[in-house]
Amino acid sequence: MASLHDEESRQRRFIEKLPKVELHAHLNGSISQQTIQRLIVLRRQRDPSWNSSCENATLESRSKTLADCFAVFSLLHDLVDNEEAASIVTNDVIREFAQDDNVKYIELRTTPRAMPATGMTKESYVRAVLSAMRKSEEDITVRLLLAIDRRTSIEDAADTLEMADRLRKETNGLVIGLDLSGDPTKPAEKFIPILKEAKKRGLKLALHIAEVNNMTDESRALLSVPPDRIGHGVFLHPDHGGNAQLLRLTHGPKIPIEICLTSNVTSGTVKVIQDHCFSQWRLIGHPCILCTDDKGVFSTSLNEEYILAAKEFHLSFEELWDLSLQSIDSIFESKEFKTELKAKFLSAKERCFS
Ligand code: 6MZ
């Protein structure tokens, strides 16, 4: 009889071979330790007296509050303060998702950010990211969402919409839409007219909704835009701090939910993984996509997220396969693209199960 250890090894090997899509990855939250070390060396060449707390604070402690996470983002932003760094980060994050997690399609998201001290503008930052995306030689398709930070002003958010609209046309669809993220306790209803305008112009919307509890009114308003995908959605289901109306607004139009298990447990929005609403949504056949959120900050990977889901929610190999394949339905691409990507996944199925 196979031991538990043998079973776990078999499951890990299966998941490693599984082709995947990643639809919720914040660029700067996805930076690996190796890349951080590389950026620190580069920064010290430029400024020998520069002292970073990244080495100590960023990735050491595993258990964080949401506030801790946001402190880490500030440290990372301090490190990625010029176009070269943005390009290195983009290149490394894409390579790691492609090579380590067998991701075949990824939608990265990042907040346009200026750094007056180095001359980096919001646009030169985004262009550096786009240029690194284009240069990637990995076997992976990469798209970009520009993020609106909840802490920002309406004017800034409007600028981001204009930039996304312009760059989508200019890059022939490398930029595909907008994300709404940032401190989830900060109100976001003021951005609704901008989000509606974005939809009107054909941009896709992936909005962080109900990442924290007690945001019922805001969640209802954001769901009514409506978004094309929901980030987190931890407190929408009636059994998890939501209510029947939020369930209807989410499940009626089947708005896919980007599930970030490790992120939610580590940042404390979900106490224990078994309590995660993922199981409730699965039970009613709601489209869910496993995602990493910030693989660097949370020391995870997409493989680890699948392993965690398999273990905690008792998913069979077939169920894991279906979960990955069905994620393709939720990508921001054309029908034809989805059909081709599914064919690519299906051609890898036999090898996966062997
Ligand atoms: C909300 C998050 C987030 O944009 O500089 N971000 N926003 N909730 C989360 N859950 C933990 N994780 C990341 O990547 C970092 C930025 O992404 C958002 C925050 O605004 C953070 O500053 P970029 O590439």
Side-chain angles (χ1 to χ4, degrees):
M1 218 176 81
S3 70
L4 185 63
H5 180 262
D6 289 344
E7 272 308 304
E8 283 178 1
S9 307
R10 230 164 61 81
Q11 187 183 67
R12 177 173 287 275
R13 278 200 306 276
F14 173 79
I15 287 171
E16 283 169 358
K17 284 192 277 180
L18 192 64
K20 303 174 196 74
V21 305
E22 167 61 83
L23 300 184
H24 188 131
H26 298 272
L27 183 60
N28 287 300
S30 302
I31 309 176
S32 64
Q33 247 323 329
Q34 291 94 306
T35 305
I36 288 182
Q37 294 311 324
R38 207 171 142 205
L39 293 175
I40 288 173
V41 170
L42 280 177
R43 171 61 86 86
R44 292 229 167 96
Q45 281 169 1
R46 200 175 85 209
D47 178 4
S49 66
W50 183 76
N51 224 329
S52 160
S53 20
C54 276
E55 283 150 304
N56 317 326
T58 309
L59 302 146
E60 263 193 359
S61 77
R62 291 288 171 268
S63 182
K64 300 181 174 85
T65 62
L66 262 176
D68 293 335
C69 300
F70 281 88
V72 172
F73 294 134
S74 299
L75 296 173
L76 292 166
H77 287 156
D78 185 37
L79 197 56
V80 186
D81 72 339
N82 63 82
E83 292 88 348
E84 186 193 3
S87 163
I88 290 172
V89 164
T90 308
N91 178 67
D92 287 6
V93 167
I94 293 172
R95 193 189 59 245
E96 288 157 3
F97 273 116
Q99 293 186 5
D100 303 344
D101 282 330
N102 203 19
V103 171
K104 298 297 179 200
Y105 175 93
I106 185 166
E107 288 172 13
L108 289 170
R109 51 187 78 191
T110 198
T111 325
R113 191 162 40 83
M115 200 58 90
T118 64
M120 182 170 83
T121 64
K122 287 183 181 184
E123 180 142 348
S124 70
Y125 168 76
V126 174
R127 285 189 183 279
V129 171
L130 285 168
S131 162
M133 279 166 55
R134 277 197 210 92
K135 283 190 193 132
S136 166
E137 288 175 0
E138 303 296 335
D139 177 22
I140 183 171
T141 299
V142 190
R143 300 286 181 257
L144 186 68
L145 298 165
L146 298 189
I148 293 174
D149 188 323
R150 283 169 174 262
R151 291 160 294 189
T152 207
S153 66
I154 296 178
E155 291 72 25
D156 271 346
D159 285 349
T160 304
L161 159 62
E162 293 304 330
M163 196 192 300
D165 193 20
R166 198 158 27 84
L167 290 177
R168 180 173 63 106
K169 290 171 190 145
E170 186 187 312
T171 63
N172 218 354
L174 276 189
V175 173
I176 39 166
L178 293 178
D179 149 282
L180 171 73
S181 55
D183 183 345
T185 62
K186 299 279 178 280
E189 283 175 77
K190 64 179 177 183
F191 299 120
I192 285 178
I194 291 169
L195 298 172
K196 285 191 168 159
E197 174 63 21
K199 263 198 94 101
K200 242 204 286 177
R201 297 197 201 177
L203 288 158
K204 297 288 187 182
L205 296 180
L207 311 181
H208 283 55
I209 299 180
E211 183 179 0
V212 292
N213 209 348
N214 300 321
M215 306 292 276
T216 310
D217 290 345
E218 179 195 281
S219 299
R220 189 177 46 240
L222 289 174
L223 286 170
S224 304
V225 169
D228 298 287
R229 283 200 313 259
I230 296 166
H232 299 287
V234 176
F235 299 99
L236 294 175
H237 196 283
D239 294 348
H240 287 268
N243 60 41
Q245 189 186 25
L246 296 178
L247 175 70
R248 209 169 44 250
L249 285 169
T250 305
H251 190 55
K254 292 245 166 52
I255 307 175
I257 304 180
E258 302 152 357
I259 301 281
C260 308
L261 297 172
T262 298
S263 162
N264 297 150
V265 172
T266 311
S267 65
T269 56
V270 174
K271 290 288 164 269
V272 286
I273 196 121
Q274 296 84 354
D275 287 350
H276 200 283
C277 58
F278 175 55
S279 48
Q280 260 74 22
W281 290 114
R282 267 181 65 75
L283 210 61
I284 56 171
H286 193 85
C288 292
I289 311 105
L290 293 180
C291 304
T292 52
D293 203 8
D294 300 287
K295 74 177 178 66
V297 174
F298 295 118
S299 304
T300 188
S301 66
L302 197 52
N303 283 339
E304 291 305 327
E305 295 304 301
Y306 272 79
I307 289 167
L308 196 61
K311 186 165 159 242
E312 300 298 342
F313 303 103
H314 311 289
L315 306 183
S316 66
F317 285 12
E318 273 297 342
E319 285 171 322
L320 289 165
W321 170 266
D322 287 345
L323 193 58
S324 180
L325 187 72
Q326 284 163 11
S327 301
I328 295 174
D329 293 327
S330 304
I331 71 174
F332 292 159
E333 264 295 342
S334 66
K335 246 187 172 160
E336 295 71 32
F337 187 100
K338 289 178 187 176
T339 306
E340 268 180 40
L341 191 57
K342 281 194 179 174
K344 185 172 178 169
F345 274 41
L346 287 166
S347 71
K349 186 168 185 182
E350 207 177 293
R351 203 181 80 77
C352 245
F353 281 85
S354 66

